[in-house]
Amino acid sequence: MFENIKNNIDFFIRNKTKFSRKNFVEKNEEKLLHNYLENLYTFDILEQCLKSSNAENAFILDIGSKNWYYAKGEYYFFKSFIKKPHMDGVELDAYRLYSNLYSRYETAKFYIKDLKNTNYIAGDFLSINKNYDYIVWFLPFVTKKPLRHWGLPDRYFMPKKLLAHAYKILNPNGQMLIVNQSINEAIIQKQLLEELNIKYTEKGIVKSNFLEYKNDRYAFIVNK
Ligand SMILES: C[S@@+](CC[C@H](N)C(=O)[O-])C[C@H]1O[C@@H](n2cnc3c(N)ncnc32)[C@H](O)[C@@H]1O
């Protein structure tokens, strides 16, 4: 209970003040190298899971983008077969501050700065009503514990409602990729998909040689 009260207060304050230092630039070579690998990892996982299609334009949504550290990997994967990708990333807690006093929002601006038609949206995914051809959803909260740990108020814990909304705004013939960490979260994700009668393909554990994570990651693909 105490954690939820604290999260409510902190979340309220950062969304009111939107405090951040401005114009973040990453200069640390080690972090830039890690970012490079994370982008290659992202490209690789998307390539293993999603089918390409030769489109002139396509609208892509990344849900829960954090600081959109991996945006380049996503962008260049879609750019490899779509002439003009339009990419949105939506993040509820965009004004969360890092210890360097830059917010996720300011940090994301740096990671997407060279990507055409790419927007970072600070807000709740539920308020997005545009339709998308591709939805990418890395590590949704399917249990309350990580949501609290990440500083969000309990009222934002609604995995089923979010999944139903994601399916609703996915265009016919669209594809959605959901990646969960650990078998426990994958089991819950599967239950949610089944409760909502959403047809999916279970890809199982997905891995890339570019980066390794402590917890196994499991992918689900939804073709509408
Ligand atoms: C576990 S993190 C994953 C972050 C990122 N996708 C990654 O793979 O590093 C989940 C993210 O989803 C965001 N989130 C949770 N509920 C959301 C909502 N309703 N709308 C937008 N973002 C949300 C959280 O604030 C958090 O940044």
Side-chain angles (χ1 to χ4, degrees), residues 92-207:
L92 177 66
D93 204 3
Y95 300 104
R96 195 166 169 86
L97 275 187
Y98 293 104
S99 53
N100 59 12
L101 300 183
Y102 287 102
S103 66
R104 287 178 175 169
Y105 184 87
E106 279 298 317
T107 312
K109 274 177 23 193
F110 169 75
Y111 288 115
I112 66 171
K113 73 176 176 359
D114 300 321
L115 311 179
K116 270 193 189 160
N117 301 314
T118 299
N119 306 297
Y120 180 88
I121 303 165
D124 189 343
F125 158 61
L126 284 179
S127 50
I128 292 202
N129 285 306
K130 216 168 119 181
N131 285 67
Y132 291 90
D133 304 299
Y134 293 92
I135 295 181
V136 179
W137 202 351
F138 283 113
L139 317 182
F141 292 132
V142 293
T143 63
K144 226 180 230 177
K145 202 172 163 196
L147 172 128
R148 284 191 171 154
H149 185 71
W150 278 59
L152 288 182
D154 283 9
R155 67 178 183 281
Y156 289 110
F157 181 68
M158 44 183 148
K160 201 164 169 182
K161 195 169 176 187
L162 292 175
L163 180 58
H165 187 65
Y167 190 68
K168 185 174 151 215
I169 64 166
L170 185 65
N171 271 333
N173 297 317
Q175 291 179 69
M176 170 160 63
L177 169 67
I178 307 172
V179 178
N180 302 93
Q181 57 180 342
S182 82
I183 183 71
N184 294 348
E185 294 199 357
I187 290 169
I188 297 170
Q189 186 67 66
K190 204 167 149 169
Q191 277 166 1
L192 291 167
L193 287 159
E194 279 167 14
E195 280 166 25
L196 290 166
N197 276 322
I198 298 175
K199 287 206 181 69
Y200 62 90
T201 307
E202 202 174 347
K203 183 93 182 154
I205 295 178
V206 282
K207 281 183 189 295

